[in-house]
Amino acid sequence: AEYMGAVNGSADTQAMTTTMFLVAGSLASVLFWRQHAGVRAFLFLITALGVGVVFSVVFFWYLLAWPLVKFFDPTLASYHSLGIRWANIVNSLFYKTEVVGREKLPAGAAVYVANHQSWLDIVSLYQLRAQFKFVSKQSMFFFPLVGFPWMYIQGHIALKRGDSASGKACMSQCAWYLKRGMSVFIFPEGTRRKKLNGELGEFKNGAFKLAVDLGVPVVPVTIFGTAQMGLGPASPAKGVLPGAVKLIVHEPISSKDKTVEALSDEVRKVIAGPLSSTD
């Protein structure tokens, strides 16, 4: 009996040791593969979708209440917190975002503009925690559990590239929001930049025409780090690398008594300043 007890005890110890090694090995594997850009990109996508699934369940009443909320809150300002919560979770698991100059964010409606480097820009810019509606390419609204239903019910603005009718509708919707005190966020380059040298692409006039026509300020934001981490045309790795993002909020620029071209040039210089200093 004593012999059998010793054998059983030894077997239990071996089983426990084996389990500990398996757990330690699994954790080590996860930590190792999290450094692999391709695997991190896959995990990033799964996390973004997974949080979308959880939100669809936990916040299902947001979906049910949307028509009523839209009636009493036409700009859907109360739904913006959903995007911030989603971005906070996804952001915190993969990289850190530092915001410099958040105190410069205006209280009223404005046109926010930034350089565009990566799909990570959208997740990162939610860390500004300001109320605004993104102008995003139409295909993003069909991305399951992220674009649809969440971008749609938050009231973000779809734009079909190369479609003049869609462009006019987009600008009209932006103006509608601005007149009601809701800011809009536009990437004036129109697409993600294909170079890592800090050089900005050509700015389109839409954002600045809105600001001039409606007399609202423009808030320039410079984004650092997203292209280097991944999910951009110029990214060094086909995936998501470890890293950090820095957002610099500049002083709002008045649009009063300025031409569209002059305002565009001024904002471009402000955004480009910190980028050129890193060359």
Side-chain angles (χ1 to χ4, degrees):
E2 293 179 1
Y3 173 76
M4 291 302 296
V7 170
N8 290 335
S10 177
D12 290 342
T13 302
Q14 289 179 1
M16 184 177 295
T17 303
T18 301
T19 301
M20 290 175 64
F21 273 114
L22 287 173
V23 170
S26 298
L27 290 173
S29 297
V30 169
L31 291 173
F32 172 77
W33 284 109
R34 271 179 59 89
Q35 305 307 308
H36 188 279
V39 175
R40 282 177 62 88
F42 175 75
L43 292 173
F44 181 87
L45 177 61
I46 292 300
T47 302
L49 291 174
V51 175
V53 171
V54 173
F55 274 33
S56 297
V57 174
V58 176
F59 299 109
F60 184 67
W61 65 273
Y62 271 77
L63 300 176
L64 295 178
W66 186 85
L68 186 62
V69 173
K70 177 70 174 173
F71 180 80
F72 290 102
D73 178 17
T75 64
L76 295 168
S78 54
Y79 274 36
H80 189 66
S81 63
L82 291 172
I84 294 176
R85 292 178 188 179
W86 170 80
N88 282 345
I89 295 171
V90 176
N91 196 155
S92 64
L93 292 174
F94 290 89
Y95 61 93
K96 294 181 179 180
T97 299
E98 177 189 4
V99 179
V100 178
R102 185 183 278 119
E103 70 280 358
K104 298 174 184 176
L105 296 172
V111 177
Y112 289 75
V113 296
N115 54 309
H116 197 14
Q117 307 178 101
S118 162
W119 286 342
L120 298 175
D121 294 340
I122 301 293
V123 180
S124 303
L125 286 167
Y126 268 114
Q127 302 306 310
L128 295 177
R129 300 187 187 127
Q131 280 278 1
F132 52 72
K133 304 299 181 185
F134 279 115
V135 171
S136 178
K137 62 181 181 179
Q138 191 177 60
S139 58
M140 288 299 295
F141 284 76
F142 300 110
F143 198 81
L145 300 171
V146 177
F148 183 83
W150 296 110
M151 284 185 72
Y152 179 78
I153 71 165
Q154 288 178 70
H156 295 302
I157 305 160
L159 173 63
K160 186 176 181 180
R161 290 177 183 168
D163 187 318
S164 59
S166 176
K168 290 178 181 178
C170 173
M171 290 297 101
S172 176
Q173 192 173 0
C174 285
W176 185 90
Y177 276 125
L178 289 166
K179 290 175 182 178
R180 288 159 178 79
M182 174 60 69
S183 298
V184 296
F185 206 119
I186 300 174
F187 296 108
E189 294 170 284
T191 187
R192 293 168 295 156
R193 189 69 178 134
K194 295 179 173 61
K195 294 182 180 180
L196 277 175
N197 60 2
E199 180 184 342
L200 293 172
E202 180 183 353
F203 274 19
K204 294 176 171 55
N205 285 335
F208 309 104
K209 189 176 188 309
L210 273 172
V212 169
D213 288 349
L214 297 175
V216 298
V218 176
V219 181
V221 179
T222 303
I223 304 174
F224 287 103
T226 53
Q228 289 76 8
M229 286 168 53
L231 301 184
S235 299
K238 301 301 180 183
V240 177
L241 294 168
V245 174
K246 185 176 182 179
L247 307 177
I248 298 180
V249 181
H250 302 278
E251 292 286 351
I253 297 175
S254 173
S255 62
K256 293 181 180 179
D257 302 321
K258 292 177 182 175
T259 65
V260 171
E261 292 74 18
L263 181 59
S264 176
D265 289 344
E266 183 177 355
V267 171
R268 181 188 175 88
K269 289 176 183 177
V270 171
I271 293 176
L275 294 174
S276 61
S277 68
T278 62
D279 290 350

